[in-house]
Amino acid sequence: PDQRVLPEDSDARIQTERLSAEFSSDEADGFPVVALDAASDADVEATAKVLSTLTGVGRVDAVTGRYLDGQLLIGPDPSLDAFRSGDAVRFNLVPTVAPVSPEGEAMVAAIRSADLPVGDVLVGGRSAQLVDTKAAIVDRLPLAIGLIGLSTFVLLFLMFGSILVPIKAIVLNLLSLTATFGAMVWVFQEGHLSSFLGFTPTGLTDTTTPILMFCIAFGLSMDYEVFLLSRIKEEHDRTGDNTAAVAAGLEKTGSIVTAAAALLAVTFVATGTSDITFIKLFGLGLALAVLMDATLVRGILVPAVMRLAGEANWWAPPWMRRIHDRFGFSEHVPDIEVPDSPAGLAGLDGPDRLEDRQSVR
């Protein structure tokens, strides 16, 4: 995020934009490039010339001087002596593009792929930080998604003894999340409704915000899913009628899920009143996700899919059924045969009699 995420009357934003508009130098955005094993001043000079010709690079400062468009602009001076430390040499690159932008990312890629006389270099600055942060997130994203999907499937299977129910829960949760992300891109990244909501669109989305939104929204969605499915499963175990169980589960949990979603939406909307753009996105995005999940997904899609699937909702292959029978768990105890009169319990003594009386209660 840059100064544009602040309110237009913020002193920090006003000062930053004035500096950018009235002072042409981009010195504040300069970033270091370090060669750990620079053999000679000739290699340093050749490297600085190559770097100064790359797209997005305006000027390069090195121990041998300052370079522009592949030419020496100003010769060496004492202020540049600090750019060498032993065998390591630092270059200071002043960009002509915004650091946090696609152009800034392309500039970093060009520097890292360039054939430089000093060999491989290390690139710092905000553009490189953006590139490396995205790379680190994307590198671990498949593992994170896999762990979430696998653990969700296993836990829901152990609870409901079904293959279709966990798959359906994951797919519908992802469906509501993708719709939410699409709405946030349309509003905050592309700038629709920006004047109404009071923010400045930047054309970008903060890298970590969608990940945090995913974690919270997916957890809340699964919470509502388990709450609804538990009631449906109880009715199905009791009656054996899938259609009646779906209807009863929706009837019994609908008002509670709606009330819980409304309470959470209020807190998220309150967060969405922030003047900081990415905090506003976070609050309004989660409010939309919760409301969409509690109405469209939990109130329409889940019952419709379970009604159409029929008894296939509760099917599992025999080997998986044996796993569920042994390791599965439930939040309710199956009904027991209760004697018609207290005399029927007369034959029970000690702990057995007490336990069964508690079960009857």
Side-chain angles (χ1 to χ4, degrees), residues 230-273:
S230 297
R231 191 67 184 92
I232 294 175
K233 183 69 163 58
E234 290 177 1
E235 287 295 321
H236 184 267
D237 290 346
R238 187 175 66 85
T239 65
D241 187 337
N242 179 76
T243 302
V246 172
L250 186 62
E251 176 188 4
K252 298 296 184 182
T253 63
S255 59
I256 299 177
V257 169
T258 302
L263 288 172
L264 282 171
V266 168
T267 63
F268 289 137
V269 168
T271 304
T273 62

Side-chain angles (χ1 to χ4, degrees), residues 300-315:
I300 298 176
L301 293 181
V302 170
V305 171
M306 297 194 70
R307 169 67 179 83
L308 293 173
E311 291 302 318
N313 286 311
W314 317 109
W315 178 85

